[in-house]
Amino acid sequence: MKAFVFPGQGAQFPGMGKSLYESNPEAKALFEKANEILGFRITDIMFDGTEEELKQTKVTQPAIFLHSVVLAKTTPDFAPDMVAGHSLGEFSALVANGTLAFEDGLKLVYQRALAMQEACEINPSTMAAILGLADEKVEEICAEFTDEIVVPANYNCPGQLVISGSNKGIEIACEKMKAAGAKRALPLPVGGAFHSPLMEPAREKLQKAIEATHFSNPICPVYQNVSTTAVSDVAEIKKNLIAQLTAPVKWTQSVQNMVKDGAIQFVECGPGKVLQGLVKKIHSEAEVSGL
């Protein structure tokens, strides 16, 4: 069985999507439609912008979504047996499996990006990658915090867990993780504490937008970050998508469940190769490739 997986924030790079735009008329039409919907030429930033310009959450998220979805929509015989996306990538996955229309997916991603940027301004906060420490130990250290917010945010692969929380909390947590034997505890260059309770203001805004959007029955199941299992029920997809902003991304567990359900090939659909690397670390026998 073939699984298509879609990357999240961090996969962007200057020039992303340019060759696709120039070589494929269908891709060009979708990119131009996106410029129209967003009200600014995001393609100019994607194709010719600097790394700094691309790094703004309100640009990054729609840019990665666009690159991923346009790739899926212009791939001949695109027929996934299952899909999954890492954080923001879940929206790309839901367009790819027919749950969301392209236009609705893009509008939701842009609203999500703006709401997250606003939440970051309300609560200055950050994230850090903890390498070489068992998930259970990371969870245990996070649970010790009472005055500061520190939570597990991204279960990327065994031995790589990203934590999220207040600036002070993350600083103290990094020291504790190193003292407990972590190989590295790296603060990440992100705008805020994604997938933590500090994203609650963004979750509330996004909930209204999601509830007002039409969701269709998917052509194949999506393995969502919150549930980690195959989901095809529209009401459940919505519920998990709303919960996602303040809940951890359980990528390790999602890939393990996809393998258990028969996935042999994993195709990364979008910029970069991050997910291909993570899938290999989770299940070394998986066949991985990119579009």
Side-chain angles (χ1 to χ4, degrees):
M1 289 175 90
K2 194 182 272 192
F4 280 82
V5 293
F6 298 81
Q9 211 157 331
Q12 71 277 6
F13 62 88
M16 60 190 284
K18 192 174 185 177
S19 58
L20 192 59
Y21 179 96
E22 290 172 348
S23 65
N24 188 310
E26 194 189 341
K28 184 178 181 176
L30 286 167
F31 278 122
E32 286 300 345
K33 193 178 213 179
N35 287 333
E36 209 176 291
I37 291 167
L38 294 171
F40 68 97
R41 291 195 62 80
I42 192 167
T43 49
D44 290 354
I45 305 172
M46 288 170 72
F47 305 163
D48 304 306
T50 63
E51 222 159 284
E52 215 41 54
E53 289 171 311
L54 258 183
K55 233 167 46 185
Q56 302 170 72
T57 296
K58 66 178 183 187
V59 174
T60 314
Q61 293 197 21
I64 292 169
F65 166 87
L66 258 181
H67 193 174
S68 302
V69 168
V70 172
L71 264 176
K73 285 195 168 290
T74 55
T75 295
D77 309 319
F78 180 80
D81 296 305
M82 52 182 85
V83 295
H86 190 290
S87 187
L88 152 76
E90 192 157 284
F91 287 82
S92 313
L94 289 171
V95 173
N97 80 347
T99 306
L100 283 170
F102 170 75
E103 297 84 347
D104 290 336
L106 180 61
K107 285 175 192 166
L108 283 179
V109 163
Y110 191 50
Q111 282 170 297
R112 178 184 192 262
L114 293 175
M116 284 170 83
Q117 202 149 319
E118 209 174 290
C120 295
E121 284 156 18
I122 297 166
N123 296 308
S125 49
T126 193
M127 301 173 87
I130 310 303
L131 308 178
L133 201 59
D135 290 356
E136 296 72 26
K137 190 67 193 166
V138 176
E139 290 165 349
E140 194 183 299
I141 293 170
C142 288
E144 290 170 10
F145 285 84
T146 48
D147 297 339
E148 297 291 336
I149 289 176
V150 179
V151 296
N154 296 348
Y155 290 79
N156 284 337
C157 66
Q160 191 190 123
L161 210 169
V162 174
I163 58 172
S164 194
S166 62
N167 289 336
K168 188 182 171 188
I170 294 297
E171 195 184 321
I172 299 165
C174 283
E175 292 311 313
K176 286 186 174 228
M177 300 288 179
K178 283 189 268 196
K183 281 184 192 158
R184 297 176 85 181
L186 302 167
L188 298 175
V190 292
F194 304 146
H195 302 288
S196 83
L198 292 166
M199 284 292 119
E200 184 54 32
R203 191 197 67 78
E204 286 171 9
K205 281 191 171 173
L206 194 63
Q207 177 168 358
K208 287 186 186 133
I210 287 171
E211 283 170 352
T213 301
H214 175 73
F215 280 53
S216 303
N217 290 320
I219 56 165
C220 69
V222 58
Y223 286 68
Q224 288 183 279
N225 295 171
V226 170
S227 68
T228 79
T229 52
V231 186
S232 294
D233 177 72
V234 168
E236 199 182 333
I237 289 172
K238 276 192 176 187
K239 183 176 67 107
N240 290 337
L241 204 55
I242 291 162
Q244 194 221 58
L245 266 189
T246 51
V249 172
K250 294 182 176 172
W251 188 252
T252 303
Q253 300 87 328
S254 300
V255 171
Q256 285 167 341
N257 283 330
M258 291 166 100
V259 168
K260 200 170 73 190
D261 293 346
I264 296 163
Q265 289 174 283
F266 285 81
V267 183
E268 182 166 9
C269 191
K273 295 181 174 182
V274 173
L275 298 184
Q276 294 172 59
L278 295 182
V279 169
K280 265 295 191 198
K281 283 176 182 160
I282 297 164
H283 185 68
S284 59
E285 289 160 35
E287 290 174 37
V288 300
S289 60
L291 276 184

